Amino acid sequence: MTLPQILSIATLVGMMALFIWGRFRYDVTAIIALLAALLLGIVAPADAFKGFSDDIVVIVGSALVISAAVQRSGVVERTLRRVGRRVKRVRSQLLVLAGSVGLASALVKNIGALAMLMPASFQMAKKNDVSPSVFLMPMSFAALLGGLMTLVGTSPNIIVSRAREQMTGEPFGMFDYTPVGLCLFVVGLLYLRFAYRLIPRDRRAAATMGEALDITGYVTEVVLPTGSPAVGETVQAFLDRHEGEITMTQLLRTGMRSAPLPDTELREDDTLILGGQPDALERVIAGDRLVYEGEDREKSQERRDKEQGGTAGEVGVIEAVVNVGSRLEGQTAGRLNLQRMFGVNLIAISRRGERLSRRLANTALRAGDVVVLQGTLDTMPDRLRELGCLPLAERDVRLGSRRATWLPISILAVAMFLTAMGWVPVAVAFFAAAGMVMASGAISPRDAYDNVEWPILIMLGALIPVSDSLRTTGASDVIATGLAQFATTLPAWGAVALILAAAMAVTPFLNNAATVLVMAPIAAQFAGDLGYRPEAFLMATAVGAGCDFLTPIGHQCNTLVLGPGGYRFGDYARLGAPLSVLVLLLGTPLILFFWPPA
């Protein structure tokens, strides 16, 4: 073994040790590894930053933007809620939630699919009076399994596709992963439906900021526009359709207030005073295409700004608490003329221990009230200081945010179709799709950039040249030859199982993308030394790297549910270890059946 080969292997071993130690974040660890490789001379300065121009970085970044747009649309969440109305038992609800997350993970990044459907799990848990921990870990595992089904479901699939293209000139297609991934997903779902009882029942999340402030519900004021599904319904039918998640305290028609009697028929231009949790109000308002009181004035102001040659800033919402001594204390929004004087629109109020029924513009605010203000985000901090309000930065409230519905899903479908037909390269299709969802307004540029996981992209860009040093120095040939000698007495299924087990063993401690960057060239060379085609071994690498069921740190999906589920580190292995064995036992013959190595 030559000195460069030894240094290349030592650099990767040191990098893995830093990942396991956890002293530095994974992107910082990747940067350290790149700097070490440059210092040791195993990566040339001219090649140091070639990873940042790689298609992988473009595809992963674009997929995150598209995922965020699909998540924000709420289409999948609303569809799931309709199904959930007919499913009452916890086991059946778990199957619906986990199945939905898995199928969504095949279309968008699995972390985005999980985040998109987590609110639905909280709703179902609340209705059944169970801890969300019953649903969250199975949903995370289902998201990992679902991500195995398509090229864009998870980063390892994209990296493995690139590795195959470098070796054979042909990458894996969009749905080449589907046969193996779908079978493992179905088996995993059946396992999770019965094995969820392995999760300790006493796991509960810590109190959220909203719970600490006792924000029990908001009151908002909306207008029924033409074409809303609520037009023509009775009040009772409207409330029943939304499963009692909201209340209606007042109905105003032609300027006259009236009690919302159950048999009162809703008409166009009626003004409704609705109460409920922020998420419930947001779903109802978006689903029924209701319009916030004052939204028409805001749009008129935007049009005037554009006509005068100005640029309208991005409109969003901020949740804030009315402070003691605030200019709002003892005043009404109408009296202060908030929109004209301060450029903000009051769209919701929450007051502890009191059910509000007056119009928002006529409700006198008190210190301690929680309000949702809509306005230009660039100027909102200054406006809050002027008004004497404290922003609740730790709560994400979408109430009052504009969002598209089917548009981002349609754009994603077109991109997937173009790549599946081979008409457009994956990187180009998804970069174009990300640009279109921003240009169309399905997601604002600010939200798009906020949802790009820059540490992941930095890690990918830094690790690509480091991992490639295994190939350029010949170290991957040495490792693969050693494995091949060890596996000479093994049949084909034993060799594939060895790669699959190795990837599954490494990925809980390395980021899954880093695992593939390290393992893929070794697996490919290993296959060549044994005289096999590389596809089965690359597929085993992708499956193994995408299946971390043992720790909360190996994949972001597991990390995402750690806090909300109130889990402990060892809880993951309790549910995940049998699932890992199941994937190993079933994954090996499935890979060999669909991708024969000979």
Side-chain angles (χ1 to χ4, degrees):
M1 187 178 291
T2 65
L3 180 60
Q5 291 171 349
I6 294 173
L7 292 176
S8 177
I9 294 172
T11 300
L12 287 168
V13 170
M15 178 192 71
M16 293 176 68
L18 286 179
F19 273 122
I20 295 171
W21 182 29
R23 174 65 177 82
F24 305 106
R25 202 170 66 176
Y26 52 83
D27 55 330
V28 178
T29 297
I31 292 172
I32 293 173
L34 177 58
L35 294 175
L38 285 167
L39 185 64
L40 294 172
I42 57 176
V43 171
D47 296 331
F49 306 113
K50 68 178 183 180
F52 292 100
S53 63
D54 196 283
D55 284 356
I56 297 171
V57 176
V58 176
I59 294 169
V60 172
S62 300
L64 289 169
V65 172
I66 299 168
S67 295
V70 174
Q71 175 188 344
R72 192 172 183 269
S73 73
V75 170
V76 178
E77 183 185 339
R78 288 198 299 273
T79 303
L80 182 62
R81 288 184 65 249
R82 293 192 184 100
V83 175
R85 293 171 188 168
R86 301 178 177 87
V87 181
K88 305 300 181 184
R89 299 179 62 186
V90 171
R91 281 191 303 183
S92 299
Q93 289 177 340
L94 185 146
L95 193 62
V96 169
L97 286 167
S100 300
V101 168
L103 293 175
S105 295
L107 302 176
V108 299
K109 194 82 163 54
N110 47 21
I111 183 71
L114 179 60
M116 176 167 53
L117 294 178
M118 279 178 64
S121 71
F122 295 132
Q123 296 162 27
M124 289 190 179
K126 187 175 181 180
K127 288 180 180 178
N128 289 278
D129 194 27
V130 297
S131 171
S133 63
V134 172
F135 299 129
L136 292 178
M137 190 185 295
M139 289 173 66
S140 175
F141 290 176
L144 298 183
L145 291 169
L148 302 177
M149 291 193 285
T150 63
L151 176 68
V152 298
T154 185
S155 302
N157 291 357
I158 300 171
I159 302 171
V160 162
S161 175
R162 171 180 171 271
R164 187 197 184 201
E165 183 177 21
Q166 289 177 337
M167 291 194 63
T168 66
E170 182 182 358
F172 283 120
M174 179 66 70
F175 301 106
D176 283 346
Y177 300 87
T178 304
V180 174
L182 181 59
C183 293
L184 290 176
F185 173 63
V186 172
V187 172
L189 275 186
L190 295 175
Y191 165 80
L192 292 171
R193 184 181 186 275
F194 297 100
Y196 75 94
R197 297 182 184 277
L198 295 173
I199 301 171
R201 295 187 179 185
D202 61 346
R203 298 298 186 252
R204 298 275 176 177
T208 64
M209 177 67 74
E211 292 167 342
L213 292 170
D214 192 25
I215 303 176
T216 55
Y218 275 110
V219 171
T220 190
E221 185 175 344
V222 293
V223 178
L224 277 178
T226 303
S228 169
V231 173
E233 282 188 322
T234 64
V235 170
Q236 190 62 52
F238 173 77
L239 297 176
D240 289 344
R241 182 162 56 86
H242 295 295
E243 299 182 316
E245 287 191 319
I246 59 169
T247 60
M248 186 184 304
T249 57
Q250 286 291 332
L251 188 153
L252 295 91
R253 181 173 295 165
T254 63
M256 302 293 292
R257 295 176 57 181
S258 64
L261 300 176
D263 57 351
T264 300
E265 185 177 297
L266 300 176
R267 302 176 186 172
E268 293 179 11
D269 298 324
D270 281 353
T271 298
L272 312 178
I273 310 295
L274 302 179
Q277 296 294 333
D279 286 345
L281 288 170
E282 192 270 342
R283 285 192 299 272
V284 172
I285 292 167
D288 284 0
R289 301 191 292 276
L290 307 179
V291 178
Y292 290 98
E293 175 62 28
E295 191 170 336
D296 53 344
R297 295 191 296 273
E298 174 199 319
K299 291 179 179 178
S300 298
Q301 183 62 45
E302 287 184 21
R303 285 195 296 269
R304 286 195 295 272
D305 290 341
K306 292 179 180 178
E307 289 170 0
Q308 294 171 5
T311 56
E314 180 187 342
V315 175
V317 294
I318 286 184
E319 187 180 33
V321 178
V322 178
N323 200 6
V324 176
S326 165
R327 296 180 67 168
L328 295 176
E329 189 177 6
Q331 299 289 330
T332 66
R335 195 181 308 153
L336 284 175
N337 204 347
L338 277 179
Q339 196 162 47
R340 186 171 66 85
M341 299 297 295
F342 297 94
V344 296
N345 185 31
L346 176 66
I347 64 170
I349 306 172
S350 176
R351 178 172 297 166
R352 180 176 179 177
E354 186 173 338
R355 182 183 181 186
L356 304 175
S357 60
R358 304 186 67 182
R359 300 195 66 171
L360 298 188
N362 300 329
T363 300
L365 297 170
R366 302 176 187 171
D369 284 352
V370 182
V371 295
V372 177
L373 300 174
Q374 183 185 51
T376 305
L377 292 177
D378 290 340
T379 62
M380 193 68 81
D382 293 333
R383 297 294 176 261
L384 291 179
R385 278 195 297 271
E386 291 178 39
L387 293 170
C389 295
L390 301 176
L392 296 181
E394 302 212 13
R395 278 168 54 92
D396 179 21
V397 175
R398 294 184 297 175
L399 191 63
S401 299
R402 299 170 186 171
R403 66 181 190 173
T405 51
W406 291 99
L407 182 60
I409 293 179
S410 302
I411 293 173
L412 173 62
V414 171
M416 293 184 68
F417 175 75
L418 293 176
T419 56
M421 297 299 294
W423 294 340
V424 180
V426 177
V428 174
F430 278 80
F431 183 77
M436 289 180 65
V437 295
M438 287 193 286
S440 64
I443 187 172
S444 68
R446 181 195 298 267
D447 288 340
Y449 290 124
D450 285 345
N451 280 278
V452 172
E453 297 172 28
W454 299 106
I456 290 287
L457 302 189
I458 295 296
M459 186 204 69
L460 286 172
L463 282 191
I464 286 172
V466 176
S467 63
D468 195 46
S469 70
L470 286 175
R471 179 187 60 82
T472 57
T473 62
S476 61
D477 296 345
V478 174
I479 297 173
T481 301
L483 286 173
Q485 291 174 350
F486 172 76
T488 50
T489 59
L490 295 177
W493 66 264
V496 171
L498 178 63
I499 292 296
L500 178 56
M504 292 180 70
V506 172
T507 196
F509 306 102
L510 278 181
N511 179 279
N512 60 354
T515 298
V516 176
L517 286 170
V518 174
M519 289 290 300
I522 295 174
Q525 187 63 43
F526 176 56
D529 289 347
L530 292 176
Y532 295 128
R533 292 179 56 81
E535 285 81 4
F537 296 86
L538 291 174
M539 192 65 67
T541 303
V543 171
C547 292
D548 170 29
F549 307 123
L550 301 177
T551 73
I553 60 174
H555 195 280
Q556 294 161 306
C557 286
N558 291 348
T559 306
L560 181 63
V561 301
L562 178 64
Y567 301 119
R568 298 174 186 170
F569 196 98
D571 293 340
Y572 287 81
R574 293 182 62 164
L575 183 66
L579 183 56
S580 298
V581 173
L582 198 60
V583 169
L584 182 62
L585 294 178
L586 293 179
T588 301
L590 284 170
I591 291 170
L592 291 171
F593 178 78
F594 290 108
W595 297 97

